[in-house]
Amino acid sequence: IAGITQAPTSQILAAGRRMTLRCTQDMRHNAMYWYRQDLGLGLRLIHYSNTAGTTGKGEVPDGYSVSRANTDDFPLTLASAVPSQTSVYFCASSDSPGQGTDTQYFGPGTRLTVL
Amino acid sequence: GQNIDQPTEMTATEGAIVQINCTYQTSGFNGLFWYQQHAGEAPTFLSYNVLDGLEEKGRFSSFLSRSKGYSYLLLKELQMKDSASYLCAVGDSNYQLIWGAGTKLIIKP
């Protein structure tokens, strides 16, 4: 069982380019999340999905979009990358959102540099 | 606003005990989590408190006081592999996690 996988591991991207970060989980978790982690700041929620077919905005959603076509996959798209989106991006999942706060399990992360 | 405060960095000696504090102000409270994150890796779950008191799990214990908006993580018999960042996170009224910036723990031999 792999848990959560993310791709790519790292990427250098020119400003203005479109980029999709991939996230796949095999734990059949209902909820999935995208965070960014920047030095000196806590993890900040970008978007989340409580169940397949639904998505919601987190704390820092601008410039990002997500989709949740099925339980396993939750891609994050940067439509037109800007240097301020340089960060480490973590995908996470949890079993039962909205019924107490469930433990989140994290993928290995994608390190993105926008030049 | 919502706020989680933790010390930025702490140093301790191998074999000793260290306490990492976390104070929070959030809209609602639905549990407090501690995660460990080694450099360049993903956060991994350590502990969860939803009621006041101490939860013990091996060398690690976590304490919660909801009335004080306060938690601590206690690490005993420190090992070099405990060198990592420790993240405090609180579930808010929407069951979303609000994260502290993390405490970098440096263990010296």
Side-chain angles (χ1 to χ4, degrees):
Chain A
I1 296 177
I4 301 181
T5 58
Q6 293 184 235
T9 302
S10 65
Q11 182 75 43
I12 299 174
L13 189 67
R17 297 296 295 268
R18 181 183 179 90
M19 175 75 192
T20 296
L21 308 185
R22 300 184 297 278
C23 175
T24 300
Q25 54 108 354
D26 63 4
M27 297 178 284
R28 308 304 295 172
H29 281 172
N30 289 318
M32 297 186 75
Y33 313 84
W34 274 106
Y35 291 96
R36 59 178 290 173
Q37 187 175 40
D38 302 290
L39 197 64
L41 300 176
L43 288 161
R44 291 183 292 169
L45 183 64
I46 304 170
H47 285 286
Y48 64 94
S49 169
N50 285 336
T51 189
T54 69
T55 62
K57 294 182 179 180
E59 178 187 358
V60 289
D62 294 343
Y64 305 95
S65 63
V66 292
S67 61
R68 186 90 184 276
N70 57 60
T71 298
D72 299 344
D73 301 299
F74 191 44
L76 176 74
T77 297
L78 289 67
S80 179
V82 295
S84 62
Q85 293 177 311
T86 294
S87 188
V88 180
Y89 290 86
F90 286 103
C91 180
S93 71
S94 68
D95 195 18
S96 303
Q99 300 173 23
T101 310
D102 276 293
T103 301
Q104 295 184 13
Y105 299 91
F106 285 80
T110 294
R111 184 173 297 273
L112 181 67
T113 302
V114 182
L115 301 176
Chain B
Q2 307 202 94
N3 196 48
I4 310 283
D5 284 319
Q6 329 176 212
T8 302
E9 187 175 297
M10 299 181 70
T11 302
T13 304
E14 189 177 16
I17 299 172
V18 69
Q19 177 175 311
I20 302 174
N21 295 325
C22 170
T23 58
Y24 63 89
Q25 287 181 305
T26 56
S27 60
F29 177 83
N30 284 294
L32 186 143
F33 294 80
W34 285 96
Y35 280 74
Q36 182 189 59
Q37 185 177 25
H38 286 100
E41 298 183 7
T44 56
F45 170 74
L46 283 179
S47 69
Y48 172 66
N49 295 69
V50 67
L51 299 176
D52 290 351
L54 189 68
E55 294 281 342
E56 297 186 82
K57 190 185 293 186
R59 293 188 300 114
F60 293 6
S61 303
S62 57
F63 171 84
L64 174 67
S65 169
R66 289 172 295 172
S67 63
K68 295 182 179 178
Y70 168 70
S71 173
Y72 67 72
L73 180 70
L74 192 70
L75 292 74
K76 303 176 185 176
E77 301 169 14
L78 286 169
Q79 303 175 9
M80 296 304 293
K81 68 178 182 179
D82 298 329
S83 292
S85 289
Y86 291 86
L87 314 181
C88 174
V90 174
D92 70 5
S93 56
N94 295 316
Y95 305 106
Q96 299 294 352
L97 287 181
I98 308 301
W99 296 82
T103 299
K104 182 179 181 179
L105 179 62
I106 299 168
I107 310 295
K108 295 186 175 180

